[in-house]
Amino acid sequence: MYPLVSAVSFIARFYLCYITIEQLPIFSNNAVGWVFGQIVSIYTIFRLICYPIVGIISSHFEIKGATTRSGIYFILYLPLLGIYWLVLLLLTNVFGILPIQL
């Protein structure tokens, strides 16, 4: 069951990231944006935030199953994605800071 839940979670997270944060450019130059995205990947930062929290929740509530931990990871990932997307929207549409001209 875990491989299926993990795959569905990954596909859903990938799609949600694509339709939200990937549509808001941080840099006006696409090449710079691509390089920056490869060096400082927001998805890696999300993972570094979510994995320890899932570990704490799992140990606190004595959750043993990888399938359940995968579900918790997905649930934690969604608010992070939403917050990051809203910040990008504010920086782009309200404050006019993004995209950065390089």
Side-chain angles (χ1 to χ4, degrees), residues 8 11 13 24 26 31 37-38 46 48 61 63 67 70 74 79 82 96:
V8 169
I11 291 167
R13 286 183 286 120
L24 294 169
I26 294 174
Q38 296 303 314
F46 284 179
L48 292 173
F61 292 104
I63 297 170
T67 304
S70 181
F74 180 77

Side-chain angles (χ1 to χ4, degrees), residues 38-98:
Q38 296 303 314
I39 294 171
V40 184
S41 172
I42 190 62
Y43 313 115
T44 303
I45 294 169
F46 284 179
R47 183 178 301 146
L48 292 173
I49 293 169
C50 288
Y51 271 25
I53 295 171
V54 170
I56 291 167
I57 291 170
S58 296
S59 65
H60 182 72
F61 292 104
E62 298 180 10
I63 297 170
K64 305 263 188 241
T67 304
T68 305
R69 286 194 307 266
S70 181
I72 294 168
Y73 179 80
F74 180 77
I75 290 168
L76 287 173
Y77 200 93
L78 291 179
L80 283 175
L81 174 63
I83 291 167
Y84 186 71
W85 182 56
L86 287 174
V87 168
L88 286 178
L89 279 176
L90 287 173
L91 291 174
T92 303
N93 297 330
V94 176
F95 298 110
I97 297 171
L98 295 179

